[in-house]
Structure formats: C-alpha cells, structure tokens
Amino acid sequence: MFFESFLLNLSVLVILIFALIFDYITKFFSYWYVRHVPYKTSVPFFGSDYHRVLGIRNSTQDVNTLYNQYPKEKFVGRVKSRIPDLIVKDPDSIKRMLSTDFANFHSRGLSLDKSQDVCLRDNLFYADGEKWTLLREGYESLLRNVNCELESLSDCLPGTNGDVNAQEILSKVLDKVFEDLLLGNAGGSVVKNLRSVAQRRTIIERFKTYLKNVFPSLYVTFGLTTLFGEPSTKTKSEIEKSVLLSKIKNLGNVYQLGIKEKNKKRSDVEFAFSVVASFITEGYIPCLNALTAFLYELALNSQVQERCRNSVSKDNREEYLDVAVKEILRLHPPYSIISRQCMKTYHPEGGMLIDRKVTINVPVEALHRDEEHYVNAEVFNPDRFLDDKGASKHCYAYLPFGAGPRKCIGEQLALNIIKNVSRAILKKFNIEPCDKTPSNLTMADHNFARVVDRDIWLRFQPRV
C-alpha cells in the first residue's frame, strides 16, 4: 500500500524497518520468562549484558551477582546480545551437561578454529568436532613425554632478598620451566616474548578480545589477531631446534595432531609454534596467577606457610602442600566460568527444554565461594580438604580444571609445576607481607581466564 506523499511513504518504510530490526533484536527477550526461569531484564542491542558492555561489571562479576541474587534457584537466565544464556547453579545439572550428556554440550560455540590467527585455529581450547578429537589425541601424546623437573630453579633466583614484585620473580622461574619443557637446549627468548604478549592488556587488545568473546564471527571475518600472529624468522629458527618439534616429528606429521584441513598446508614448525602459544596462554599464565595468589596467601598465613614447608604425606593422605594448592585453586580458580553451547534441543527428564545454540555457563568461582558447598567459603583454609568438614560433598562443586571429556588436559602438569615451584621457593625463603603488599587480592577477566589485577609485592627473606 502506497500513499501519494513521498514523505509519508518514507516514514512508513522507516517505521517498518525499525519494527523489523526491533523484533529481530528482542526476539528472545521473553525466552526465560515462558520457561519460568528467573532472569535478568534485557534492553535492546545489549540484552542482559549491558553492565559488562558499559564497563560497570566484568563477566565474572555479572555471573556471580546473578548467582547470589537467586540463592534457591538451580538456573538463572539472561540474554547475551540477543542469544539466550543460562547460568547453571545445580551441581547435578552441571554433571549431566559436562559429562553424562556431553554430546549435547561438546562445543564452546566460538568457531575460532576458522580464524586466521595461527595460535587460535590450532588451539585445543577453541577446537570443535573431529578437529578437537584429533588435537586432543595429539596433545595427550605430547604430554605423556613431558618431564617437569626443576633442577636449575636456584639459578633463577640469584640475589633475591627483601621486598620484591612476586610476579617478576615467578616469571623468571616459569620462563625457565617452560623453556626447558618446550625448547630444551634451544633456549632463546620465545617463551619470554610470547608470555609478554599474552599479558598485554591495552585498550585495543581488550576491544579485540571483547569481539573474540562476544562476536567471534566478526573476529574471524575481519581476520583479527589478539595474540601472536605469524612467528618471526628468529622464532622459527629457535623452534626448529626445539625439543617440542622433535617430539612432534617422532609422532609422525601434523596430521596426527589434528591438522587435517583441505587446501591448507601447515608446516611442522608453524604447528609447533601454535602448541607453544597454547602452553603459554592455557598453561603458563594460569600457573603464574595461581602461584602469585598462593604466595600472597602464604605470606598472610605464616602457620599455613610453615606447614606447607614441612609438608609430608601422612596416613596415605595428601601432603599439606597438596591441599593448600587445592584450596588456592578453589578460592582463585584459573577460569571463573565454563561455557558450552547446546548443539541440539536438550530436554532432560524432569528438566526444562533448552534449544539449540543456547549457551550454558557454569559459574566456577561462584560455586567455589558458595556457603552451601563450603564453610566460611571466603576464607583461605587448606584444612577443609583434610577433614572434609569444610569442603563440599559434591565433586561437581569443585571445578578448577573443568569436568567431563573437555576437562583441562594439562591438569597434572599444571599441578606439578605449581607444587614444585612452591616447594622450591619455600625451601629457600620465608615469605612475609611488606609495606607495599595490598590488603586484598583483586582479580580481573582476561582472555576467558582470571588474572591478578595488580602487582603483588612481598618480602622474601632467605632462610639460613
């Protein structure tokens, strides 16, 4: 139907276009209402995500707020941009989604394995389907041949005495650990350079990370890279001499490690570079932040520090250092949220219907700090894991490394590194707070992970 007036026709057209856009944007705003799930109110163009987009809260804070807002509920709904998003609070439901019914929730839904970024497209964390299966088999083969020995650790700490930046000290140690682990005698500066890039948090990097997390299709379409890009000539030269490349070649070729894409030639060196990058982003950085948090808590808890220093196995139970590490990973988990995408309509017995492409979120940090699961949950208390009185009885209320088939493949390696580094430092130093030590440990979101948000200064007193 047309009108004689051009302006009237134009006005009607504009209104129709606006109505169609508005309908598209708000299509799922009542999704959780009709399912009788408590939810966060949405606004056009932002969904329920406006607090995070406007910088008022980060993702972890937003999820934790909703978790605590509905203490008696098993699920809380929200809308991320325009797609329904579900926060799963119930450990039994978490167990079904991550383990029992893994086939329905095997994907992270990011599709970043199609990225032009070499370090993302071959990263096990982002892979899906057959590629994920093949990559996991390859990584498992590599990890079986990895030795985590810290014989030369003392060389990383010469002259350490007095007030020091804990992250700087730990970075020196971990640089050496991961160089020996991945490069061997090749040495060089690959690990240090990649670690520095991974820690970078400029405004531009944060914006690109936001696109990667919220609009991954745009990130892929525009060919953006948030981390390392293509390896330099010097980096390639060092990797060619590395222990890692030798192990990859011993396993066969890169096809055995999951690189099975048509019309895309991938060299062993390029794939080895992506593996090193994965070890940095998913291994080094979480270990650095866990160790920083651990030393901070030990400095404030001298009795716990002494018990860790003298830790021995007793009655076939874990050493005290083991439970102390377990406690720090409860209080400050490397990843505060585990996300999965529903791959097909899911309707568990007695549960609600979840449609395909709906994202589920497991609020790891909120679970770990829930008084229903842990007595005095905000307090650092390793003893809770010794007598089991202060710890959760449900194993899916403790998820520092995830659960199910997509559980972190490097769990044992990470635990060995954290324990060995901690043991070596405690043997050599007494750790105390100093004038620059912050009154509390603040964490921030960075590349899906949680990182310590400020420099942590502690006093390292050499032991006689």
Side-chain angles (χ1 to χ4, degrees):
M1 180 178 179
F2 295 95
F3 301 97
E4 292 184 3
S5 170
F6 171 76
L7 289 178
L8 186 57
N9 284 325
L10 181 61
S11 299
V12 170
L13 181 62
V14 169
I15 291 171
L16 286 173
I17 292 173
F18 178 81
L20 289 171
I21 293 174
F22 187 81
D23 179 68
Y24 175 79
I25 291 171
T26 62
K27 181 178 179 180
F28 298 108
F29 278 19
S30 61
Y31 187 89
W32 299 118
Y33 174 79
V34 300
R35 285 163 175 74
H36 305 291
V37 174
Y39 64 97
K40 182 180 178 182
T41 304
S42 300
V43 298
F45 298 101
F46 294 102
S48 313
D49 214 22
Y50 47 88
H51 280 111
R52 187 174 68 85
V53 174
L54 297 175
I56 300 172
R57 293 197 289 257
N58 58 38
S59 292
T60 300
Q61 291 168 336
D62 201 42
V63 168
N64 291 355
T65 298
L66 289 173
Y67 182 100
N68 294 320
Q69 191 174 339
Y70 301 95
K72 301 299 182 183
E73 302 292 340
K74 293 183 178 181
F75 307 97
V76 181
R78 60 177 185 166
V79 176
K80 204 168 185 179
S81 184
R82 64 179 293 272
I83 303 300
D85 205 62
L86 184 67
I87 298 170
V88 185
K89 299 176 55 180
D90 174 45
D92 288 322
S93 299
I94 292 170
K95 180 179 180 180
R96 287 196 299 270
M97 292 176 177
L98 295 186
S99 297
T100 310
D101 299 327
F102 173 74
N104 293 73
F105 299 96
H106 62 80
S107 173
R108 298 187 191 277
L110 296 171
S111 299
L112 288 169
D113 55 342
K114 300 178 179 65
S115 170
Q116 294 184 32
D117 189 333
V118 63
C119 298
L120 291 184
R121 65 180 178 231
D122 296 338
N123 189 316
L124 181 64
F125 187 87
Y126 303 107
D128 286 320
E130 183 186 14
K131 184 171 184 176
W132 171 78
T133 302
L134 294 170
L135 275 172
R136 188 173 179 93
E137 290 174 358
Y139 271 81
E140 286 175 343
S141 298
L142 289 175
L143 287 170
R144 277 195 293 269
N145 298 313
V146 163
N147 293 318
C148 180
E149 298 180 1
L150 307 179
E151 296 177 359
S152 58
L153 178 62
S154 58
D155 298 339
C156 307
L157 302 167
T160 300
N161 191 352
D163 299 350
V164 296
N165 184 319
Q167 286 102 319
E168 289 185 2
I169 292 294
L170 289 169
S171 292
K172 289 180 181 178
V173 176
L174 291 178
D175 284 351
K176 178 63 175 175
V177 170
F178 279 82
E179 281 175 7
D180 291 346
L181 198 69
L182 302 172
L183 303 176
N185 295 328
S189 56
V190 174
V191 169
K192 183 178 180 180
N193 292 340
L194 293 184
R195 178 258 297 174
S196 298
V197 173
Q199 291 175 309
R200 193 169 58 206
R201 296 169 62 196
T202 64
I203 293 176
I204 294 176
E205 290 298 325
R206 292 185 186 191
F207 174 71
K208 290 195 292 184
T209 298
Y210 170 76
L211 281 181
K212 175 166 67 75
N213 297 355
V214 181
F215 301 107
S217 57
L218 291 178
Y219 176 87
V220 173
T221 300
F222 290 112
L224 299 177
T225 61
T226 59
L227 294 176
F228 315 114
E230 297 296 326
S232 66
T233 302
K234 181 180 178 181
T235 297
K236 288 181 179 179
S237 175
E238 291 182 7
I239 288 178
E240 283 174 352
K241 306 171 188 175
S242 70
V243 172
L244 177 65
L245 186 60
S246 298
K247 291 178 179 177
I248 289 175
K249 289 181 177 179
N250 288 337
L251 290 172
N253 55 42
V254 290
Y255 292 94
Q256 289 177 282
L257 291 163
I259 308 309
K260 195 180 179 182
E261 298 172 81
K262 296 179 180 179
N263 303 322
K264 290 185 180 179
K265 294 183 179 179
R266 305 284 174 82
S267 69
D268 289 357
V269 172
E270 186 181 69
F271 180 73
F273 175 72
S274 74
V275 172
V276 174
S278 297
F279 269 82
I280 299 302
T281 55
E282 321 307 336
Y284 185 117
I285 301 301
C287 284
L288 173 62
N289 286 283
L291 281 163
T292 301
F294 192 35
L295 294 185
Y296 174 82
E297 294 291 354
L298 292 180
L300 299 184
N301 297 272
S302 57
Q303 291 184 344
V304 173
Q305 180 181 156
E306 194 61 26
R307 290 177 71 182
C308 287
R309 183 176 288 114
N310 300 321
S311 175
V312 292
S313 179
K314 190 175 182 180
D315 299 328
N316 293 321
R317 301 202 56 162
E318 296 174 289
E319 294 186 16
Y320 196 78
L321 179 61
D322 294 337
V323 296
V325 170
K326 199 171 184 179
E327 173 69 348
I328 204 65
L329 293 174
R330 179 196 68 82
L331 202 56
H332 303 291
Y335 294 89
S336 58
I337 303 168
I338 298 172
S339 295
R340 296 285 187 272
Q341 188 179 75
C342 185
M343 302 307 294
K344 55 186 177 181
T345 304
Y346 180 68
H347 192 185
E349 185 177 349
M352 65 176 165
L353 179 72
I354 301 177
D355 290 313
R356 180 175 173 269
K357 289 196 174 182
V358 170
T359 304
I360 66 158
N361 296 281
V362 178
V364 176
E365 184 177 288
L367 281 166
H368 287 188
R369 297 186 176 216
D370 191 335
E371 291 288 337
E372 184 177 339
H373 302 302
Y374 298 94
V375 178
N376 296 324
E378 296 290 337
V379 177
F380 176 70
N381 176 26
D383 286 2
R384 73 175 75 249
F385 290 108
L386 286 178
D387 56 24
D388 294 330
K389 292 180 180 178
S392 175
K393 300 299 186 292
H394 202 300
C395 61
Y396 278 76
Y398 182 77
L399 302 166
F401 294 98
R406 284 200 86 135
K407 185 177 183 179
C408 177
I409 195 172
E411 176 181 2
Q412 288 306 314
L413 176 61
L415 288 174
N416 286 339
I417 290 173
I418 293 170
K419 291 173 187 177
N420 287 337
V421 171
S422 300
R423 189 177 286 112
I425 290 176
L426 289 174
K427 184 178 180 180
K428 194 168 183 179
F429 300 98
N430 289 318
I431 306 166
E432 303 169 359
C434 64
D435 294 338
K436 295 181 182 180
T437 303
S439 58
N440 55 68
L441 195 67
T442 56
M443 308 292 285
D445 291 351
H446 181 56
N447 270 328
F448 295 107
R450 291 287 274 171
V451 298
V452 178
D453 198 31
R454 60 187 298 179
D455 291 340
I456 302 299
W457 286 79
L458 300 170
R459 182 165 296 156
F460 281 60
Q461 297 281 14
R463 290 173 58 80
V464 179

